[in-house]
Amino acid sequence: MSTTAATEFAGAWTAGRSVRRTMLLMIFGLLAVALNTGIGYATAGTRAIPIVTGVLLCLAFATGVHLLHRATWLALLSLLPALFVLVGSVQLAPDLALKQRGLRQQVTIVDAEANGKRHTFTLHGTTGPLDEPLVYQGSSPGYRVGDTLTVLTDPDGRIALQDADRVDSAGKVTSLALGVVGWTVIALLAGWRGHVRRRTGRYAVAAF
């Protein structure tokens, strides 16, 4: 089939239109990362909000990939870098805040309680017991009564106390970068493959 005949399929796009749609998807991905990171800063200490908005934005990007590519597998693949975007955008703000203004102090674990996968450790510092415990969500916290560790506490009381060794703002920036790179590659692939599909009539659909 000639190129001229291929372009006659309903829903076929010109190369310029495919490039513009691809760029729009890439821009949306960048804006989604920036928006959810900003929401994370604005609601530091309450991770539920950026988690919800992050999930919705990641699903919106996957939907955009599907519309551009007209196949499900690439949209599902976009959820892998979406995990990096979600983790980075949600956790970057509290980690940065603790790094910048957190009070560092050495403490000893004097008591531990477990409720399912929620582990709560009572801490004792150099000036007495801490009002705020160390909370760990997971099956293997790695802490025991008698352990000594360094923690970071938020003087404003907005962000939960954290083990200083587990506060890694650089790692969260790396996670965001990996997510952005992954989404960019997927957007470019979706744009190219979607253009080919429309021109060959494999998916004759109306433009969006």
Side-chain angles (χ1 to χ4, degrees), residues 5-166:
T7 58
E8 295 176 356
F9 283 106
W13 292 352
T14 63
R17 176 172 290 184
S18 293
V19 169
R20 288 194 296 272
R21 296 298 188 272
T22 302
M23 292 300 296
L24 284 174
L25 182 59
M26 292 170 60
I27 292 171
F28 173 80
L30 291 174
L31 290 177
V33 171
L35 175 61
N36 209 55
T37 302
I39 291 174
Y41 273 104
T43 60
T46 307
R47 294 186 177 182
I49 296 175
I51 288 175
V52 172
T53 57
V55 168
L56 292 176
L57 289 170
C58 289
L59 291 176
F61 184 86
T63 300
V65 171
H66 177 73
L67 291 174
L68 186 62
H69 182 218
R70 298 307 301 170
T72 302
W73 69 270
L74 196 54
L76 293 177
L77 186 61
S78 73
L79 297 179
L80 180 58
L83 291 177
F84 290 96
V85 169
L86 189 60
V87 170
S89 62
V90 171
Q91 297 184 358
L92 177 60
D95 277 15
L96 274 179
L98 286 178
K99 280 285 188 181
Q100 293 171 355
R101 68 171 187 260
L103 301 177
R104 182 182 296 265
Q105 59 181 309
Q106 192 173 58
V107 298
T108 301
I109 298 176
V110 296
D111 192 19
E113 294 182 2
N115 183 9
K117 290 188 176 182
R118 179 184 171 87
H119 300 263
T120 304
F121 300 92
T122 303
L123 307 175
H124 194 284
T126 56
T127 59
L130 273 66
D131 295 332
E132 183 180 7
L134 173 65
V135 178
Y136 179 89
Q137 295 282 359
S139 56
S140 302
Y143 302 114
R144 296 180 180 178
V145 174
D147 286 352
T148 299
L149 63 150
T150 301
V151 297
L152 289 170
T153 58
D154 180 13
D156 296 337
R158 298 177 58 198
I159 302 172
L161 174 150
Q162 295 290 333
D163 182 346
D165 290 339
R166 299 194 179 190

